[in-house]
Amino acid sequence: MIHVREANPNDRDALVDLAYAAGYGLTTLSPDANRIAQRLEPAARRSRPLLVLVDPDRPGDILGCAGMYTRVGDPVRVEPFYAYRLEKTIHQSERLSVRTQVDSLHLVALYDGPSEIGTLLLRPEHRGGGLGRLLSLSRFLYMARHRNRFQRQVIAEMRGVVDDRGRSPFWESLGRHFFRVEYDVADRLSAVDKRFIAELMPRHPIYLPLLTEAARRAVGQVHPQTAPALRLLKAEGFHEAGMVDIFDAGPTLQCDLEAVRTVRESATVKLEAGAPGPRAEPTLIATNQGPFVAVLAPATRNNHSMVASDEVARTLGKAGAETVCAVPAKPTESPDLHTRVVRPSARRRHA
């Protein structure tokens, strides 16, 4: 049965192969065997957990991945998380009877920020059918299980507008003038060493009317392939944080971890193997002890127990009345009812 589990060092080569399918803009999963091997070391797996989607019928292959960061910014290495904060300023002249509203971008550097989700990638041939939802939402069950490792607030940087040749209209209008390199070069380098950002990034506000029309349109917009992930996160209760990426101007979303729909509606129940029956609904089910494994399958909830197929029980390594963490695969109510807005005290990707 296709399922999600934690990545381990044996997944290195398969993740390198998967990374080649990412294209431009996914800086946290580049096809570099050494960097991926470092990501899979024990210490890195604790601070930057990575989940992979696997099919037992295709051993050695990885269908997709999704990552988390326990905290953005690194005060020890003095390596901040950078973003642009969007602001609106009113300019008024009584003498000329002119009143204008000007949008501007202000550089933010966070050394001790919130948690972040990112590195979401699914092979094109496996998109649809709920696997992307399973992969993305499994992260929240993982975070809920390890609450002591994550911050109260969670953010998600969304991939911005970049064409098939790796050209970003926002970068062409702004970043290129200061960094003098191609967008993809700066994007990749930022995942390894951010010192060049501090050395070259303009510190003064950037006034959007001074940028090209294409660059202005790109601010806060997502890459077409990222649109489904954006809709999913908003359905989970995420909302725009008023910040965009410094390279491609993709939007940043935020939500309190406890307000995330998957966390809020999840429950610990006994898993009973059997026929789910006609009332079964698509359900995200994950282990709540031992190795983390999650599946998406029809299940029927009965008070404090849940009935799912024998295959589900085998995949989770459970039998009889063992407990699992379960949540409906889709929202049962409006996310706005429970979303709490917590603004960040101020680069990684992507959700």
Side-chain angles (χ1 to χ4, degrees):
M1 182 177 191
I2 294 178
H3 61 275
V4 169
R5 61 166 173 79
E6 282 194 76
N8 61 63
N10 295 328
D11 296 320
R12 187 198 65 177
D13 292 342
L15 283 169
V16 171
D17 182 63
L18 178 67
Y20 277 109
Y24 296 100
L26 194 63
T27 58
T28 52
L29 189 74
S30 63
D32 184 315
N34 290 330
R35 285 185 56 197
I36 289 178
Q38 292 173 0
R39 178 78 184 265
L40 299 177
E41 292 176 354
R45 288 164 60 188
R46 181 172 177 80
S47 63
R48 296 177 291 166
L50 186 65
L51 303 180
V52 292
L53 184 70
V54 297
D55 184 349
D57 294 332
R58 299 174 58 176
D61 197 7
I62 289 179
L63 312 184
C65 68
M68 297 151 279
Y69 301 86
T70 56
R71 185 187 291 277
V72 299
D74 190 333
V76 176
R77 297 173 58 187
V78 194
E79 186 175 89
F81 165 88
Y82 289 104
Y84 271 133
R85 184 180 68 252
L86 283 162
E87 291 189 5
K88 295 181 182 295
T89 305
I90 302 298
H91 297 262
Q92 183 170 333
S93 171
E94 294 183 2
R95 182 177 181 82
L96 297 179
S97 298
V98 172
R99 187 176 187 273
T100 61
Q101 176 177 287
V102 179
D103 293 326
S104 57
L105 300 173
H106 300 256
L107 189 65
V108 172
L110 281 181
Y111 290 88
D112 199 7
S115 295
E116 183 183 13
I117 58 172
T119 322
L120 179 64
L121 178 63
L122 185 63
R123 291 187 182 276
E125 62 269 28
H126 297 289
R127 293 170 186 165
L131 293 181
R133 180 175 293 272
L134 165 63
L135 189 57
S136 180
L137 299 187
S138 293
R139 294 177 293 189
F140 299 130
L141 291 184
Y142 182 95
M143 296 171 79
R145 176 174 164 177
H146 300 284
R147 279 180 171 84
N148 63 317
R149 289 160 54 184
F150 293 89
Q151 309 307 307
R152 175 184 175 185
Q153 187 188 53
V154 183
I155 64 171
E157 279 194 297
M158 313 303 290
R159 185 191 297 194
V161 178
V162 181
D163 65 21
D164 294 338
R165 296 179 298 164
R167 290 172 61 89
S168 160
F170 184 76
W171 175 262
E172 294 300 317
S173 183
L174 178 60
R176 174 181 290 280
H177 299 295
F178 296 91
F179 293 90
R180 303 294 178 89
V181 296
E182 298 297 327
Y183 163 79
D184 63 308
V185 174
D187 204 37
R188 289 197 304 269
L189 182 58
S190 70
V192 180
D193 187 341
K194 295 180 172 60
R195 285 178 296 180
F196 76 99
I197 297 177
E199 294 164 348
L200 298 176
M201 200 69 185
R203 296 287 175 169
H204 299 291
I206 304 298
Y207 293 95
L208 293 190
L210 301 180
L211 303 183
T212 64
E213 181 179 353
R216 295 197 302 271
R217 287 199 306 266
V219 174
Q221 300 302 307
V222 299
H223 189 283
Q225 293 182 2
T226 304
L230 177 67
R231 291 193 295 270
L232 186 150
L233 290 180
K234 286 190 172 183
E236 287 291 308
F238 279 76
H239 55 279
E240 293 185 6
M243 298 191 300
V244 298
D245 183 75
I246 62 172
F247 288 169
D248 62 24
T252 297
L253 304 184
Q254 67 180 16
C255 189
D256 190 284
L257 178 60
E258 298 299 329
V260 175
R261 195 278 312 182
T262 292
V263 175
R264 193 180 66 247
E265 295 186 3
S266 64
T268 299
V269 297
K270 293 181 179 179
L271 177 63
E272 299 178 357
R279 295 190 300 110
E281 297 181 349
T283 306
L284 190 65
I285 312 171
T287 56
N288 58 9
Q289 58 185 5
F292 181 83
V293 179
V295 300
L296 178 62
T300 302
R301 176 85 174 271
N302 295 307
N303 296 322
H304 300 296
S305 65
M306 176 167 286
V307 179
S309 69
D310 293 337
E311 186 179 25
V312 169
R314 287 194 301 271
T315 300
L316 296 178
K318 303 292 184 179
E322 293 290 341
T323 61
V324 295
C325 185
V327 62
K330 294 185 178 181
T332 57
E333 57 186 18
S334 171
D336 296 333
L337 295 178
H338 296 275
T339 299
R340 288 177 284 171
V341 177
V342 183
R343 193 172 184 82
S345 52
R347 160 157 174 23
R348 265 184 206 100
R349 358 251 152 117
H350 283 96

